[in-house]
Amino acid sequence: MLQLNPQVLDTGTPPIPAARAWMASYGGHHGPAIDLSQAAPGAPPPAELLARLGAAAARPEVARYGAILGDAALREAYARDVAATYGGDVGPADVAITAGCNLAFLAAVLAVAGPGSSVILPAPWYFNHQMTLQMLGIGVTPLPCRPEDRFVPDVAAAEALIDATTRALVLVTPNNPTGAIYPEGVIAAFADLAKRRGLALIVDETYRDFLADGANRAHGLLTRPDWRDTVIQLYSFSKSYAVPGHRAGAITAGPQAMGEILKVLDSVQICAARPAQEALAWAIDGTADWRATMRATINGRISAFARVVEACPGWSISSIGAYFAYVRHPFAGVPAERVAECLAKERGVLGLPGSYFGPGQDDHLRFAFANADEAAIADLPARLKGLAP
């Protein structure tokens, strides 16, 4: 019999395809299915970006291998964007381009941790982060985040969890799955803790471009003169530029971490897809107005979703932001997976159960509303009313 890696065997199956299988039983009697399961952009990218992707893909030289850490034009453009956004000293040497942000996370954690070490991960967590750590043999130390705190992690609680195996603290803001946006002071306190204890602070900002209220940045970490000693920042082009299929992400880090990240990227990707890199180097400035419009659209859906849930007796939002609402369901003692399955099969609304995001989350469902228009969102009260899982 084939012998398989026990660390992979012990890792859960990707949950979104399993949840989507529930929708096959929906009969359509409540109207079209509403898929709120995955954080996918609801609009296509701008026409000029699509044209540039196609043109780049047609050029023979772009079919060749590129630099391990990314093509120079995109690294330079992204470094300028980060420096302008955060007001810090960031240059192309601080940037690596990756095949999506999940790979950015893998490269970052492999650069600082290995089997027998551990990483502190706020819970509820993004399930791919937990899955990656488990497959790598890196311990996951959950940092419980509470609904009464709007799922913002507590720095004192994190420090109490640090032991001799700890190598990194992870923050995700705006958060997946909860939508929580961490206050700048909280992020700064985590950076102070990481610096004091000699740990890496990995900050995943996949959804940074969807901050509300005109905010342009989540923190000021990159203005610190010593940020390269501690901070590893992750980013995804997928959501902001509506190109998830082109798999483009980025890491911002200092030279010590970047030297190890290069080794990881050379082993698992060699280089990120080059047509996307060429087009995105233009798009950082070239699609700024379009991205501002998309940001306003998403923030409008946040308001619309909040109003809708207020109209649903027993349902309440524990946290909301960027693409996500983390919603408490009214069925005390009923597992979240059962609630989500019933909602999909009987009412044609697909959200993910909180239990997919870690232990102790059976009171919640996660709804990702970026790919649902306001008309679909407005239909939710009729779908939720009378549900009996």
Side-chain angles (χ1 to χ4, degrees):
M1 181 179 292
L2 183 66
Q3 298 297 306
L4 301 174
N5 183 342
Q7 289 168 186
V8 178
L9 284 170
D10 289 343
T11 299
T13 300
I16 290 178
R20 283 182 170 166
W22 299 332
M23 294 293 273
S25 301
Y26 173 56
H29 43 281
H30 287 278
I34 302 173
D35 188 347
L36 305 175
S37 64
Q38 190 168 29
E48 187 168 355
L49 178 53
L50 284 172
R52 286 175 178 266
L53 285 163
R59 291 174 50 224
E61 62 269 29
V62 178
R64 302 188 183 106
Y65 284 132
I68 296 169
L69 293 179
D71 289 353
L74 181 54
R75 292 175 73 196
E76 290 166 3
Y78 181 69
R80 285 195 303 271
D81 180 64
V82 171
T85 299
Y86 292 89
D89 171 27
V90 178
D94 302 312
V95 170
I97 304 302
T98 63
C101 199
N102 275 3
L103 182 55
F105 179 78
L106 182 147
V109 296
L110 267 178
V112 300
S117 63
S118 65
V119 169
I120 294 176
L121 203 61
W125 49 54
Y126 172 45
F127 45 72
N128 283 146
H129 285 174
Q130 184 271 338
M131 292 167 68
T132 296
L133 293 167
Q134 186 165 358
M135 284 189 282
L136 294 174
I138 299 170
V140 176
T141 303
L143 171 58
C145 300
R146 307 185 305 167
E148 53 266 39
D149 297 328
R150 293 292 187 182
F151 293 100
V152 173
D154 180 74
V155 70
E159 184 159 23
L161 296 173
I162 295 172
D163 61 24
T165 70
T166 308
R167 296 293 179 269
L169 308 167
V170 174
L171 299 179
V172 182
T173 183
N175 186 261
N176 178 5
T178 66
I181 296 171
Y182 302 164
E184 184 170 346
V186 170
I187 299 171
F190 271 88
D192 293 340
L193 172 60
K195 179 71 172 178
R196 187 171 68 251
R197 300 298 294 267
L199 305 175
L201 177 65
I202 300 173
V203 187
D204 184 330
E205 294 186 72
T206 292
Y207 302 95
R208 74 165 204 209
D209 295 328
F210 301 100
L211 292 170
D213 302 324
N216 291 319
R217 70 177 198 182
H219 57 77
L221 300 186
L222 302 181
T223 65
R224 298 183 178 200
D226 60 351
W227 71 263
R228 293 175 178 84
D229 297 339
T230 303
V231 177
I232 302 175
Q233 183 193 44
L234 312 181
Y235 179 70
S236 170
F237 294 96
S238 297
K239 310 304 188 295
S240 301
Y241 296 81
V243 289
H246 288 279
R247 310 309 304 133
I251 303 172
T252 304
Q256 187 176 9
M258 193 62 76
E260 308 314 306
I261 288 167
L262 180 145
K263 298 175 188 177
V264 177
L265 295 181
D266 187 39
S267 298
V268 298
Q269 73 171 21
I270 301 178
C271 65
R274 299 190 67 207
Q277 292 193 65
E278 182 170 307
L280 288 167
W282 165 83
I284 287 175
D285 291 330
T287 64
D289 291 343
W290 179 87
R291 286 183 286 118
T293 299
M294 291 301 101
R295 171 176 169 164
T297 298
I298 294 299
N299 278 283
R301 288 180 189 166
I302 290 171
S303 299
F305 194 91
R307 289 193 300 270
V308 161
V309 175
E310 287 174 2
C312 300
W315 297 80
S316 62
I317 293 175
S318 294
S319 185
I320 190 169
Y323 275 31
F324 307 108
Y326 208 57
V327 178
R328 185 183 293 274
H329 66 73
F331 308 107
V334 179
E337 189 167 10
R338 180 175 165 187
V339 176
E341 183 176 3
C342 179
L343 184 59
K345 290 181 174 180
E346 296 185 11
R347 303 301 173 90
V349 177
L350 184 59
L352 295 184
S355 52
Y356 283 7
F357 304 98
Q361 302 301 314
D362 266 319
D363 291 336
H364 286 85
L365 304 183
R366 189 201 77 174
F367 294 105
F369 44 75
N371 61 346
D373 61 24
E374 293 194 22
I377 292 172
D379 196 32
L380 287 175
R383 307 282 186 110
L384 297 177
K385 183 179 179 180
L387 187 72

